[in-house]
């Protein structure tokens, strides 16, 4: 690329400082993001209803399971009660995530608060592990060690409670799956950590209640507490696994996860299609929230561009990207004349600490 060092600085500065596609188009860009199915305030309203349905179901079920577990002396039922208490607390976390993640950017957080969604989802995963999984393991181990004395009437009450819980959890799961279908279905619809957590919780709850029913039924039929203790341990294993998967996803998003390769390839292709860009030396992306992505590109412009045109070119390219990719909430362009191989091997391109 031709041009002086001063010219390159003029091209880089507006690209980095003008914001996403320039200030005049910031409002339009936000509107495009809200219009996409399953994102923005409309998607959040549907997700909030889903979370509230799950919260109401879990609160009622937790009380019923705890009362039935105490009456029946059932470790599996008490484990399920702990599971429902954990789920209820997690729904509170998710409601906080929905509210706090939509706060506008400010001086202290110039990229916004989108990652609050991932933080509260991580807390929800920890809650499932500690309050649900660990308590289930404790109940199962205690039942195996000490045994239990049950009354037939108590167990009948426990089975009735579990039957009602199965229906309630099933209704909540159907509501969550309905929203997943509204948002297009598949993995893309589960990119929202709040919705993903509700689906995982409700699916796990349905399976956990089924295990508890089987354990209590076999205990009643055989008189062997090992069946119910095993059900409690199985519920614990299930909860720990779900907590691990949810926590891993939230961790990846919190530490700065890139967009999927297909979207990254489309962004690169769009940049390479610009007539003023000779080559794209490096492209970096990071999810800033549910529907906001940071895009930073190191580009080499075609020779012969005058310094007066560089700023207009940079703004036009950013506006083109913002129109094509509404999720690109922040776009930065860095003009360079380094060889492509050198750019790709730089610390910033490889992800090594200390990169530009």
């Amino acid at each position: 690329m031709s041009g002086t060092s001063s010219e390159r600085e003029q091209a880089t500065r507006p690209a980095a400082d003008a914001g996403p596609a320039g200030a005049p188009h910031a409002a339009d860009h936000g509107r495009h993001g809200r219009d996409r199915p399953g994102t923005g305030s409309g998607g959040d309203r549907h997700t909030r209803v889903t979370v509230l349905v799950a919260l109401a179901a879990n609160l009622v079920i937790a009380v019923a399971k705890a009362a039935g577990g105490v009456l029946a002396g059932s470790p599996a039922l008490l484990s399920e009660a702990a599971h429902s208490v954990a789920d209820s607390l997690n729904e509170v976390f998710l409601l906080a995530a929905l509210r706090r993640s939509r706060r506008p950017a400010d001086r202290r957080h110039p990229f916004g608060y989108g990652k609050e969604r991932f933080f509260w989802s991580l807390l929800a995963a920890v809650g499932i592990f500690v309050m649900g999984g660990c308590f289930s393991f404790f109940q199962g181990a205690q039942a195996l060690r000490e045994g239990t004395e049950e009354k037939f009437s108590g167990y009948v009450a426990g089975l009735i409670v579990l039957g009602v819980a199965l229906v309630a959890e099933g209704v909540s799961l159907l509501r969550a799956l309905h929203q997943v279908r509204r948002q297009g279905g598949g993995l893309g619809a589960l990119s929202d950590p709040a919705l993903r957590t509700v689906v995982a919780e409700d699916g796990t709850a349905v399976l956990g209640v089924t295990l508890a029913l089987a354990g209590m039924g076999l205990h009643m039929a055989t008189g062997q507490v090992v069946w119910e203790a095993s059900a409690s341990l199985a519920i614990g294993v299930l909860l720990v696994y779900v907590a691990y998967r949810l926590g891993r996803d939230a961790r990846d998003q919190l530490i700065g996860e890139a967009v999927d390769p297909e979207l990254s390839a489309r962004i690169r292709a769009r940049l390479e299609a610009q007539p003023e860009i000779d080559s794209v030396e490096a492209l970096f992306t990071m999810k800033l929230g549910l529907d906001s992505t940071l895009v930073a590109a190191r580009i080499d412009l075609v020779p012969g561009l005058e310094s007066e045109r560089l700023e207009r070119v940079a703004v036009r390219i950013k506006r083109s990207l913002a129109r094509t990719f509404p999720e690109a909430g922040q776009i930065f362009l860095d003009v360079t004349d380094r060889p492509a191989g050198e750019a790709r091997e730089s610390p910033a391109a490889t992800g090594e600490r200390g990169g530009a």
Side-chain angles (χ1 to χ4, degrees):
M1 173 193 150
S2 62
T4 65
S5 174
S6 175
E7 291 172 345
R8 289 195 296 271
E9 289 177 3
Q10 292 179 32
T12 304
R13 188 180 305 114
D17 295 344
H25 284 248
D28 291 342
H29 173 65
R31 185 181 65 250
H32 292 320
R34 288 190 299 270
D35 288 344
R36 288 182 296 137
T39 63
S41 58
D44 274 2
R45 283 195 297 271
H46 293 302
T47 302
R48 187 175 293 108
V49 171
T50 299
V51 174
L52 287 172
V53 169
L55 176 60
N58 281 317
L59 286 174
V60 173
I61 294 169
V63 173
K65 288 177 180 177
V70 171
L71 291 174
S74 167
L77 194 50
L78 289 174
S79 296
E80 273 300 298
H83 180 186
S84 295
V85 170
D87 286 352
S88 299
L89 181 60
N90 292 339
E91 259 80 67
V92 175
F93 289 156
L94 297 180
L95 289 173
L98 293 174
R99 181 178 61 85
R100 296 176 64 86
S101 65
R102 287 295 172 183
R103 289 182 295 171
D106 52 33
R107 184 178 298 274
R108 187 174 181 183
H109 296 88
F111 292 110
Y113 290 82
K115 289 194 174 184
E116 286 253 22
R117 219 173 185 106
F118 310 142
F119 169 74
W120 291 100
S121 297
L122 179 61
L123 290 186
V126 173
I128 293 174
F129 176 82
V130 175
M131 297 183 63
C134 293
F135 186 79
S136 295
F137 281 128
F138 170 77
Q139 284 293 318
Q142 185 179 46
L144 286 175
R145 184 176 63 253
E146 300 177 359
T148 58
E149 294 293 335
E150 304 83 8
K151 295 180 179 179
F152 180 78
S153 59
Y155 258 71
V156 170
L159 290 173
I160 293 174
V161 168
L162 285 176
V164 173
L166 185 61
V167 173
E169 298 284 13
V171 169
S172 180
L173 177 60
L174 288 175
R175 163 67 201 189
L177 293 177
H178 172 70
Q179 186 178 342
V180 171
R181 287 194 297 271
R182 283 175 58 97
Q183 296 181 193
L187 296 178
L190 294 176
S191 60
D192 183 351
L195 180 57
R196 183 172 63 242
T197 301
V198 172
V199 171
E201 285 181 348
D202 289 343
T204 304
V206 170
L207 185 54
V209 171
T210 304
L211 289 172
L213 281 168
M216 289 183 68
L218 289 171
H219 188 183
M220 289 178 64
T222 65
Q224 299 295 319
V225 72
V226 66
W227 292 108
E228 196 166 351
S230 298
S232 184
L233 293 173
I235 292 169
V237 171
L238 179 64
L239 292 175
V240 168
Y241 174 73
V242 170
Y244 164 74
R245 291 296 300 270
L246 292 175
R248 186 185 65 178
D249 291 342
R251 177 207 63 187
D252 291 343
Q253 293 169 320
L254 274 174
I255 64 178
E257 186 178 37
V259 301
D260 64 86
E262 187 271 338
L263 177 57
S264 180
R266 288 170 51 208
I267 294 174
R268 178 181 286 272
R270 183 67 179 178
L271 286 170
E272 292 174 342
Q274 304 301 313
E276 298 87 357
I277 295 180
D278 187 45
S279 63
V280 179
E281 307 297 347
L283 176 64
F284 314 103
T285 61
M286 183 174 66
K287 296 178 182 178
L288 299 176
L290 179 60
D291 54 4
S292 180
T293 298
L294 182 147
V295 177
R298 185 175 294 124
I299 60 175
D300 186 14
L301 300 180
V302 297
L305 283 179
E306 299 177 355
S307 60
E308 291 78 9
R309 291 185 57 197
L310 294 182
E311 180 174 354
R312 295 196 301 272
V313 166
V315 172
R316 187 193 62 76
I317 291 173
K318 292 174 68 178
R319 287 177 176 173
S320 175
L321 281 179
R323 286 192 298 268
T324 308
F325 306 101
E327 61 268 53
Q330 299 286 344
I331 301 173
F332 298 87
L333 300 179
D334 176 29
V335 178
T336 180
D337 58 358
R338 289 190 296 167
E342 182 181 347
R344 283 193 296 268
E345 293 171 3
S346 71
T350 59
E352 296 172 4
R353 187 170 58 187

